[in-house]
Amino acid sequence: MRRQDLNDYLRVRGRAIQSLFDTIEANSEGTVIVDRNLRIVWMNERYAKRFGLDSGEQAIGRVCEEVIPGSLLRRVVNSGEPILLDLLDTPQGPMVVMRLPIHGDGGEVIGAIGFALLDELNGLAPLVTRFSRMQNALDSARRSLEHARRAKYGFSHYVGNGPASLEVKRRARRAAGVEAAVLLLGETGTGKELLAHAIHGASSRAGGPFVSVNAAAIPASLLEAEFFGAVAGAYTGAERKGRCGKLKLAEGGTLFLDEIGDMPLELQAKLLRVLQEKEFEPLGSNQVIRCDIRIIAATSRDLEAAVANGEFRADLYYRLNVLPITLPPLRERLEDLPALCESILERLQQEGAPAVEIDQGALACLAAHRWPGNVRELGNILERAVLLSDAAVLDYRAVAEAMGQRVAKSTQPARMHARRIAVEPLAVARERFERDHIKEALNQCDGRVEQAARRLGIGRSTLYKKILRGESPG
Ligand SMILES: Nc1ncnc2c1ncn2[C@@H]1O[C@H](COP(=O)(O)OP(=O)(O)OP(=O)(O)O)[C@@H](O)[C@H]1O
Ligand SMILES: [Mg+2]
């Protein structure tokens, strides 16, 4: 570089610095300069007026926060770092501000300068409106997510006062009081998800999130990212920004692992680590993340059998099996039928269905069914019965009709049934035969219990007992 150019450069640079200051100063809504001790040494008129002073002179010598509440010039002086863009609240609305340190000849900080670039009227309003609109949208999305993540049910939603149901609730309450993993076992529709919500809601984590993952509903290839999250570009098709896993979402709360029996073996190993070490690594990252979650797992599969044939890790099974709760199938707690029907009919009514009652004949008809779909199936049948009948009382015929349609259409047996081997214990077979036989008798007598009892050669109250309590023949 020639000497001439160098001089030009220094001259132009000097001019640029001067212009920068002049331009900003002339166009800004306010300018203030402080010394090393944060005393104001200069403030322009406009800015002084904004903070309620008559002139800039009145500000001189005063500590800057006294005049400009919320000023961050002190931070700039102390750190020597500029704050290039920030929002400052003032009595007339927010302003966009820039704060720069001022250096002495030796490079030391001798003060700071603050510019207020825009105020609400002068260009900031549209930005602020847009920002607050986005903020509002975000807030309401957060609220509805929070609502969705809170427990939906309490123990009172698990209807049933028979001995089997009371035992389930007793164990669930105990599980709510501790931190260990819980394993919910039971056929489809027995209330596993309902109970998981209730346990979370009664636990010390109730204030935290309740997050569910269904291992059977998500393709195995995506399950790991769903669980542990993924860093950007960790796998083909991964979102560019990476992905937040369910483990992280459940932090401080409960993770509900639904259909855990369907979890791929590879993932089972990683889940074991979460249970044992309370840590995991997001997909594509080697950073170990610690987590604080409580696990409730559920399955309708026979896990012991899955362990025996190598589909489920034994170590994970033992780890999860600390507090197992087996939810009885509906056919083994027929004593709860009246209460369940009442609560389901009440719910239907709340949802807009006509108010109906249910009579003994209808209950008898329901009690004779095997209920492969359990309480969910009961709900469906009652809903159909209410829709089909226009009487105020559901009787045997109304319920039988609703069930008949279902039986004709349903071709899918429940999963546990499909897995059942051909030869069953004699007591079970006998019980099933008796139930079918009673059902047939009731059918032929149009639900008239007394007549059916006569034809079966037993007393009326014995028949009631059998159909409502699911007693095996003595
Ligand atoms: N004891 C109960 N009292 C009242 N409602 C119940 C009860 N058990 C189950 N339900 C109802 O039955 C339906 C099915 O329950 P839930 O989804 O909890 O079953 P699940 O065991 O998770 O079934 P799946 O294995 O098919 O997922 C829900 O509408 C639930 O509210
Ligand atoms: Mg479920």
Side-chain angles (χ1 to χ4, degrees):
M1 222 187 264
R2 281 186 295 140
R3 193 165 185 84
Q4 183 60 40
D5 292 342
L6 203 61
N7 281 341
D8 270 1
Y9 166 72
L10 287 174
R11 201 168 50 85
V12 172
R13 186 172 182 270
R15 284 258 150 239
I17 292 170
Q18 188 59 49
S19 305
L20 179 68
F21 181 85
D22 290 347
T23 310
I24 293 184
E25 209 279 317
N27 290 288
S28 83
E29 296 295 318
T31 306
V32 60
I33 300 176
V34 298
D35 65 13
R36 192 183 317 133
N37 300 316
L38 280 305
R39 302 254 167 217
I40 293 175
V41 295
W42 187 74
M43 191 173 197
N44 72 358
E45 299 297 314
R46 223 163 159 183
Y47 215 24
K49 297 223 162 78
R50 179 175 281 268
F51 291 102
L53 304 179
D54 293 331
S55 69
E57 230 161 279
Q58 279 185 5
I60 291 174
R62 291 173 65 184
V63 174
C64 79
E65 292 96 342
E66 237 177 64
V67 178
I68 307 174
S71 166
L72 292 183
L73 286 174
R74 184 176 298 275
R75 194 198 287 174
V76 173
V77 168
N78 290 341
S79 68
E81 297 292 333
I83 301 175
L84 291 178
L85 214 52
D86 192 18
L87 276 182
L88 174 74
D89 270 321
T90 75
Q92 287 102 311
M95 304 187 89
V96 176
V97 297
M98 175 164 76
R99 308 178 182 97
L100 309 169
I102 302 173
H103 296 283
D105 289 340
E108 77 285 11
V109 177
I110 58 167
I113 182 164
F115 295 109
L117 297 176
L118 288 170
D119 77 352
E120 201 163 33
L121 299 172
N122 198 357
L124 191 54
L127 274 180
V128 171
T129 314
R130 230 179 97 199
F131 177 78
S132 59
R133 209 178 293 137
M134 277 161 50
Q135 195 72 39
N136 284 345
L138 193 65
D139 279 352
S140 85
R142 272 207 195 107
R143 265 196 305 276
S144 66
L145 247 183
E146 233 169 63
H147 184 77
R149 295 216 178 100
R150 234 175 289 140
K152 288 195 197 102
Y153 307 101
F155 289 120
S156 65
H157 291 95
Y158 187 91
V159 175
N161 284 310
S165 295
L166 290 182
E167 174 63 10
V168 163
K169 284 194 260 194
R170 191 185 64 79
R171 292 180 71 103
R173 282 210 178 82
R174 219 178 49 194
V178 297
E179 276 281 293
V182 182
L183 181 59
L184 302 174
L185 301 164
E187 293 176 16
T188 179
T190 47
K192 297 183 293 295
E193 184 165 353
L194 186 160
L195 208 62
H197 275 276
I199 292 173
H200 168 75
S203 76
S204 62
R205 294 173 173 266
F210 179 91
V211 175
S212 5
V213 197
N214 187 323
I218 298 166
S221 57
L222 297 180
L223 203 52
E224 188 173 346
E226 176 80 5
F227 244 83
F228 300 106
V231 298
Y235 58 99
T236 16
E239 289 97 303
R240 246 192 315 136
K241 286 181 183 159
R243 157 181 205 136
C244 177
K246 293 281 171 97
L247 274 181
K248 194 167 166 212
L249 283 176
E251 181 67 15
T254 303
L255 184 66
F256 177 49
L257 300 177
D258 209 358
E259 310 293 355
I260 195 159
D262 293 294
M263 185 176 273
L265 276 167
E266 197 191 328
L267 202 57
Q268 291 176 23
K270 298 191 173 176
L271 179 62
L272 186 65
R273 177 171 170 203
V274 172
L275 278 164
Q276 283 175 336
E277 323 286 342
K278 304 243 171 263
E279 61 185 34
F280 67 97
E281 283 165 36
L283 210 65
S285 128
N286 42 23
Q287 193 196 352
V288 174
I289 296 182
R290 299 215 35 95
C291 59
D292 167 35
I293 53 168
R294 198 265 174 101
I295 287 184
I296 301 182
T299 184
S300 53
R301 287 183 61 175
D302 182 344
L303 275 192
E304 239 166 290
V307 169
N309 58 39
E311 287 166 12
F312 203 84
R313 289 180 67 110
D315 46 9
L316 180 59
Y317 175 65
Y318 293 123
R319 192 81 204 186
L320 288 172
N321 203 31
V322 189
L323 280 173
I325 302 178
T326 301
L327 286 80
L330 182 52
R331 67 184 156 282
E332 285 172 20
R333 57 179 192 110
L334 291 173
E335 64 275 13
D336 293 334
L337 254 185
L340 277 166
C341 289
E342 193 180 324
S343 112
I344 290 169
L345 290 174
E346 202 176 291
R347 172 175 59 78
L348 289 172
Q349 195 189 331
Q350 275 164 13
E351 289 168 4
V356 291
E357 289 185 18
I358 189 162
D359 75 4
Q360 287 297 330
L363 283 173
C365 178
L366 293 173
H369 183 53
R370 272 200 70 77
W371 299 112
N374 294 288
V375 184
R376 182 183 294 117
E377 185 186 7
L378 176 64
N380 292 341
I381 284 176
L382 287 182
E383 183 167 11
R384 187 170 306 136
V386 169
L387 285 176
L388 290 176
S389 125
D390 28 39
V393 178
L394 289 182
D395 57 5
Y396 179 88
R397 190 175 273 281
V399 169
E401 230 174 71
M403 287 172 76
Q405 283 178 356
R406 194 204 65 83
V407 172
K409 278 183 189 156
S410 157
T411 47
Q412 285 249 331
R415 272 205 285 178
M416 269 198 167
H417 287 232
R419 276 160 209 278
R420 183 159 289 179
I421 43 168
V423 176
E424 52 194 1
L426 193 56
V428 176
R430 201 191 287 147
E431 196 193 317
R432 188 162 46 76
F433 171 80
E434 188 184 276
R435 200 189 340 257
D436 289 348
H437 196 64
I438 289 175
K439 194 173 176 181
E440 183 55 33
L442 282 163
N443 237 333
Q444 289 187 18
C445 303
D446 247 3
R448 283 187 291 274
V449 178
E450 206 165 329
Q451 196 182 331
R454 222 172 7 218
R455 288 177 64 172
L456 287 166
I458 54 178
R460 177 194 161 121
S461 65
T462 314
L463 179 54
Y464 264 135
K465 249 186 240 159
K466 280 189 187 299
I467 48 198
L468 287 179
R469 305 224 169 84
E471 273 190 351
S472 52

